[in-house]
Amino acid sequence: MRTRFAPSPTGPLHLGHAYSALRAHDLAKDAGGTFVLRIEDIDQGRSRKEWEALIHEDLCWLGLSWETPVLRQSERRDAYRAALDSLWQRGLLYVCTCNRRDVLSAASAPNEGEPLVGPDGIVYPGTCRSRPGACAALPDGVALRLNMSSALKEFGTERPEPWEPTQGNGRFRAFQETGSGPNGETGIIHASCGHFLNNIGDVVLARRDFGTSYHLSVVVDDAFQDITHVVRGEDLFDATLIHVLLQHLLGLEAPTYLHHGLVRDESGNRLAKRHDSMAISSYREAGATPADIRGLVGL
Ligand code: GLU
């Protein structure tokens, strides 16, 4: 068993991160497996070395240990580009020139109803999908979107167990612990093609500014690092669907996914990195012990 914790160094780790990291760590260690730390720093504009150092410090203090050397996504651009190239050559990607405002105005057109919000914001209305002029070579410095409809067609022709999205209630090895998934599921999750098309849509796989995206990098790296079990919050449920689809398109093995409930603040809001009061470092400075943190997150 190989599990991982994959934070972005864009702020301090909070209790929610501690919970996820501890769950992934304990799962591997209890099974005699390996725990991996990966630094997801593709967004070089927001990532900071200081936050990365604090991540190491906080996790060490919590008593976690991980495989070294630690993989940093900023050093993996060639691998991401190779994956994009494979999708591009099969006509599964297209160049998108829309900015946020374009997406909002197209999605809010009078006959469109309320814009649907997916895992990455408003579901893309498809403005650039049929733009002519795709060139043979993978373009650089542009945003690339996955053509979800074509991707699902490719997926449907050789559908592996245990994933059956074309049945309307397909299933794959992803588990939800809380029963609060999009359809209230506990246990194995189901997803239909309609959900992919209407609630997720043509997601961005390469951003113009950093040539890749969270979804693409995470899939390439989970496979590269032989991750067998991904432990993550239930807020990433739709992201998992995208990831399993990408694994299939890229010929990568799908890990098992475990989605856990989120740690919330007193008002029931999920923690964000800006909740500095919930930062592990703040608890540390206030004299808390690692056991206190485990207790606070219910472990
Ligand atoms: N970098 C992501 C985060 O900070 C990783 C989550 C995941 O892929 O499980 O939320």
Side-chain angles (χ1 to χ4, degrees), residues 4 6-8 17 38 40 214 218 222 230-232 236 243 273:
R4 47 74 159 181
S8 303
H17 293 111
R38 180 170 71 228
E40 302 214 321
Y214 159 64
V218 111
D222 280 340
V230 172
V231 177
R232 55 166 54 146
L236 289 176
H243 300 172
K273 284 196 180 116

Side-chain angles (χ1 to χ4, degrees), residues 265-298:
D265 66 15
E266 322 71 63
S267 340
N269 298 318
R270 49 177 288 223
L271 302 182
K273 284 196 180 116
R274 60 187 169 277
H275 270 83
D276 281 5
S277 58
M278 298 262 181
I280 299 170
S281 46
S282 310
Y283 284 99
R284 215 152 36 100
E285 278 153 29
T289 66
D292 294 333
I293 302 291
R294 278 188 179 264
L296 277 171
V297 297

Side-chain angles (χ1 to χ4, degrees), residues 16-281:
H17 293 111
Y19 180 59
S20 221
L22 288 164
R23 289 288 306 267
H25 177 265
D26 293 358
L27 186 69
K29 292 291 150 128
D30 290 349
T34 304
F35 174 68
V36 170
L37 170 66
R38 180 170 71 228
I39 300 295
E40 302 214 321
D41 58 350
I42 51 171
D43 186 345
Q44 287 285 292
R46 291 174 60 227
S47 299
R48 298 269 177 279
K49 276 281 157 40
E50 307 84 89
W51 295 127
E52 193 175 325
L54 190 62
I55 287 171
H56 282 255
E57 236 177 77
D58 283 343
L59 296 179
C60 260
W61 176 80
L62 278 172
L64 307 194
S65 56
W66 50 87
E67 189 180 66
T68 53
V70 170
L71 192 75
R72 297 164 78 228
Q73 291 193 321
S74 53
E75 291 157 11
R76 299 265 303 144
R77 290 187 190 275
D78 292 349
Y80 307 143
R81 202 148 166 88
L84 286 169
D85 190 48
S86 145
L87 300 173
W88 175 259
Q89 298 305 334
R90 282 136 71 200
L92 297 174
L93 304 181
Y94 62 87
V95 174
C96 178
T97 54
C98 296
N99 57 30
R100 272 173 211 276
R101 218 183 31 235
D102 300 332
V103 174
L104 178 64
S105 66
S108 322
N111 52 353
E112 295 289 334
E114 269 299 294
L116 268 171
V117 177
D120 300 335
I122 290 176
V123 175
Y124 185 61
T127 321
C128 293
R129 193 181 295 134
S130 52
R131 260 164 50 119
C135 49
L138 175 69
D140 215 355
V142 290
L144 297 170
R145 286 185 183 271
L146 179 69
N147 184 324
M148 186 56 86
S149 165
S150 308
L152 288 172
K153 277 189 202 116
E154 190 159 316
F155 193 76
T157 54
E158 31 153 344
R159 195 181 332 130
E161 276 300 317
W163 167 276
E164 299 174 354
T166 52
Q167 300 306 305
N169 64 345
R171 57 192 351 219
F172 66 100
R173 282 182 306 165
F175 302 91
Q176 186 94 12
E177 289 187 321
T178 55
S180 58
N183 303 309
E185 315 87 334
T186 304
I188 295 183
I189 289 166
H190 299 255
S192 65
C193 271
H195 183 77
F196 276 91
L197 289 169
N198 306 323
N199 300 74
I200 296 177
D202 294 358
V203 286
V204 170
L205 292 191
R207 283 186 38 174
R208 195 164 58 88
D209 41 358
F210 38 84
T212 182
S213 67
Y214 159 64
H215 300 303
L216 186 91
S217 317
V218 111
V219 160
V220 169
D221 288 342
D222 280 340
F224 178 68
Q225 297 191 287
D226 284 328
I227 301 302
T228 60
H229 292 72
V230 172
V231 177
R232 55 166 54 146
E234 64 188 12
D235 54 327
L236 289 176
F237 169 76
D238 270 344
T240 296
L241 297 179
I242 300 168
H243 300 172
V244 178
L245 175 61
L246 287 177
Q247 281 145 5
H248 179 71
L249 296 175
L250 294 167
L252 306 171
E253 202 165 321
T256 291
Y257 288 87
L258 178 84
H259 298 93
H260 57 67
L262 302 180
V263 178
R264 297 181 185 274
D265 66 15
E266 322 71 63
S267 340
N269 298 318
R270 49 177 288 223
L271 302 182
K273 284 196 180 116
R274 60 187 169 277
H275 270 83
D276 281 5
S277 58
M278 298 262 181
I280 299 170
S281 46

